[in-house]
Amino acid sequence: MKVAIIGCTHAGTAAITNILNMYPEAEIDVFEKNDNVSFLSCGIALYVGGVVKDPDGLFYASVKGFEEQGIRMHMQHVVTDCDTNNKTLVAKNLKTDETRTYQYDKLIITSGSWPVTPPIPGSDLENVQLCKNFHHANEIIERSQTAQNIVVVGAGYIGIELVEAFEQAGKQVTLIDSESRILNRYLDEEFTSPIEKTLTEKGVTLALGQTVSSFQGKDGKVTQVITGEASYDADLVIMCIGFRPNTTLFTGQVDMLDTGAIIVDEYMQTSKKDVFAAGDCCAVAYNPTEKPTYIPLATNAVRMGTLAAYNLVGPRLAHQGTQGTSGLKIHQHNLAATGLTETAAAAAGIRAESALLEDTYRPEFMPENTMLRLKVVYEMDSHRIIGAQVISEGDFTQAMNTLSVAIQNKMTIEQMALTDFFFQPHYNKPWNYLNQVCIQAMKQIEEKQIGQQKAVS
């Protein structure tokens, strides 16, 4: 069995590892445009900020290691054409410009994503940087050494983490985003406001609700970022607007969402026989909405890559869907989220309510304690939990993993309210905070029903 894999970051690496174990007779050809594999891009900000000293720790597999296991690693190769009907692909060696045609029996597309790059005038100026791969990270580190005014465009996870890293390095940092709040896709306002307050107190300029219209420069280097409202000095600009699936090669050959994300079934099979896909190039089954959604996360990628290998010769193991669970640490704030925010639920046309808990996590008699803020979002009609968020100076982020399981299993707030959790004063209260927030939701429902009954009578 000849297996071709296009792309070798998280999904590709997971697919390779499992194919080696499950199908030792398989002939595997891997095509990767970079000169490395398995780069953990979520560690870029830690690397830029000097927390990670050894960049080798940002990789968990190697080209050499795969080659020693008999895999044909075509590094710095770009696949320029793929015929999924005749099961052939053409790859170009970027070092020699040589092209060659390869045949396969099974194809796994793990071509990943690429940063969104709007056609902003001045984008070609020196020191306007993307942030995606290891080479980008090294460029950012090198160029930031001599930069004092740094502008980050995009207030998602990567953008926020870079802002923190540059601020801690003593730079003058400006964060620009067209939305009115940071992290608006992941968190509701009760959770973004404390972070915005901290960033402002640390001297970061928040230029929210502003869209970049152009970059201005001198002698070929960027000097200013222009928005519709103001201009900002810049020696270095990092573009972190978001990501798009890297799937142009397969347009018209496999079914896709309007975003270009490849649609797969629960076995990672595309609409074309013997063609599988996994990772950031794909849509993923999103349990809160029960619809395929584009959610580029490493956690989704490794699971999908694993499943592509498991189901390569026949359907064996189905994907259980995702909740898009994620976490972040910014200064003293530990935060995490799973599923839909209230804002996202409304945008998805879901009638939802929420309960918000602000409380200490230990009994009041404990000499040391910490406050936490926890929200659960639930469907009004079914009471099904569809999202949750937490923030605290203590670390309660693992609670989102628990609620991720709850969403995956379609648990209601009533079920979670009465779920068994241990009690020990060092760790929690007799009613765990997960119980408490759902009990609060139940009370809100009761109060609403009583109010409706009184209105009718």
Side-chain angles (χ1 to χ4, degrees):
M1 179 174 64
K2 292 183 178 180
V3 181
I5 300 175
I6 302 175
C8 193
T9 309
H10 303 308
T13 298
I16 294 166
T17 302
N18 284 278
I19 291 170
L20 283 170
N21 291 331
M22 300 174 68
Y23 318 106
E25 79 291 348
E27 298 178 38
I28 306 171
D29 283 283
V30 177
F31 302 89
E32 170 57 53
K33 66 181 178 181
N34 292 302
D35 59 3
N36 57 72
V37 299
S38 79
F39 176 62
L40 287 162
S41 59
C42 56
I44 285 180
L46 296 172
Y47 181 36
V48 169
V51 176
V52 174
K53 306 296 183 184
D54 181 5
D56 289 342
L58 297 172
F59 301 88
Y60 55 93
S62 69
V63 176
K64 181 181 178 182
F66 282 145
E67 287 179 335
E68 288 175 348
Q69 296 177 82
I71 298 173
R72 294 187 286 264
M73 299 295 292
H74 306 277
M75 304 306 295
Q76 294 180 272
H77 278 63
V78 173
V79 177
T80 58
D81 185 56
C82 186
D83 184 343
T84 55
N85 289 321
N86 294 309
K87 296 186 176 182
T88 61
L89 62 83
V90 178
K92 178 181 180 181
N93 186 327
L94 296 177
K95 293 177 290 186
T96 65
D97 284 338
E98 177 188 3
T99 59
R100 181 182 165 189
T101 300
Y102 299 83
Q103 290 188 321
Y104 62 83
D105 300 309
K106 305 282 185 178
L107 173 65
I108 302 178
I109 305 167
T110 53
S111 49
S113 60
W114 193 248
V116 173
T117 53
I120 301 172
S123 295
D124 57 344
L125 287 168
E126 188 177 339
N127 289 347
V128 177
Q129 295 289 131
L130 299 178
C131 185
K132 170 67 175 176
N133 58 36
F134 184 53
H135 296 296
H136 291 157
N138 286 325
E139 283 282 332
I140 290 169
I141 290 173
E142 180 182 345
R143 294 174 187 273
S144 67
Q145 301 301 314
T146 56
Q148 185 56 35
N149 297 303
I150 299 179
V151 175
V152 176
V153 181
Y157 277 161
I158 293 176
I160 293 294
E161 289 179 310
L162 285 172
V163 164
E164 180 189 39
F166 291 134
E167 177 271 313
Q168 290 181 330
K171 309 296 183 180
Q172 295 295 316
V173 186
T174 299
L175 175 63
I176 301 175
D177 197 284
S178 59
E179 298 292 338
S180 60
R181 294 188 296 109
I182 66 171
L183 301 168
N184 73 302
R185 289 179 56 193
Y186 312 100
L187 301 165
D188 286 316
E189 187 173 2
E190 303 96 323
F191 299 84
T192 56
S193 293
I195 307 168
E196 290 176 3
K197 182 174 183 291
T198 296
L199 292 175
T200 301
E201 290 172 347
K202 297 285 186 180
V204 174
T205 299
L206 297 181
L208 302 176
Q210 299 185 36
T211 301
V212 176
S213 57
S214 68
F215 301 110
Q216 301 295 318
K218 183 179 179 181
D219 298 328
K221 293 184 178 180
V222 69
T223 57
Q224 281 195 324
V225 179
I226 311 299
T227 73
E229 287 74 26
S231 61
Y232 302 93
D233 291 340
D235 307 311
L236 176 63
V237 177
I238 315 296
M239 300 294 289
C240 304
I241 295 175
F243 298 98
R244 58 171 176 77
N246 190 19
T247 58
T248 306
L249 190 65
F250 302 97
T251 300
Q253 298 197 68
V254 296
D255 291 346
M256 299 181 183
L257 297 180
D258 291 341
T259 59
I262 296 172
I263 297 172
V264 294
D265 65 13
E266 63 268 41
Y267 302 107
M268 302 302 106
Q269 174 82 46
T270 70
S271 57
K272 186 66 65 73
K273 181 176 169 40
D274 293 329
V275 179
F276 298 79
D280 285 7
C281 64
C282 290
V284 61
Y286 189 43
N287 288 323
T289 62
E290 299 179 327
K291 294 178 180 178
T293 307
Y294 186 57
I295 306 175
L297 286 173
T299 48
N300 290 335
V302 293
R303 285 192 295 270
M304 295 173 81
T306 298
L307 287 168
Y310 264 82
N311 300 307
L312 199 58
V313 297
R316 294 177 53 189
L317 187 60
H319 192 257
Q320 299 180 75
T322 186
Q323 289 66 251
T325 310
S326 56
L328 186 66
K329 187 181 190 308
I330 294 295
H331 291 294
Q332 74 272 28
H333 304 292
N334 299 285
L335 58 123
T338 186
L340 293 166
T341 63
E342 273 194 278
T343 306
I350 297 174
R351 295 175 68 245
E353 293 280 1
S354 70
L356 181 68
L357 174 73
E358 294 187 78
D359 196 8
T360 56
Y361 78 106
R362 286 171 167 172
E364 285 69 19
F365 60 74
M366 292 297 287
E368 295 182 0
N369 222 326
T370 302
M371 291 289 297
L372 78 153
R373 181 176 294 173
L374 171 65
K375 176 188 272 192
V376 167
V377 182
Y378 58 93
E379 202 170 38
M380 287 176 61
D381 296 332
S382 67
H383 299 177
R384 177 175 67 100
I385 298 171
I386 57 174
Q389 301 152 66
V390 69
I391 187 170
S392 177
E393 293 187 14
D395 183 4
F396 303 101
T397 54
Q398 290 298 322
M400 293 302 100
N401 284 333
T402 301
L403 288 173
S404 174
V405 174
I407 297 170
Q408 181 170 296
N409 288 283
K410 303 182 185 298
M411 287 183 69
T412 64
I413 55 169
E414 291 84 359
Q415 290 172 324
M416 179 55 68
L418 298 173
T419 293
D420 176 36
F421 296 107
F422 77 86
F423 165 54
Q424 211 290 332
H426 284 288
Y427 304 110
N428 55 15
K429 295 181 177 182
W431 282 113
N432 184 280
Y433 40 85
L434 293 178
N435 298 131
Q436 288 185 66
V437 72
C438 289
I439 289 171
Q440 186 169 314
M442 291 171 62
K443 289 179 178 177
Q444 290 174 189
I445 292 170
E446 289 295 326
E447 290 170 358
K448 186 174 182 178
Q449 290 175 343
I450 292 171
Q452 290 173 341
Q453 290 169 0
K454 286 182 178 178
V456 172
S457 61

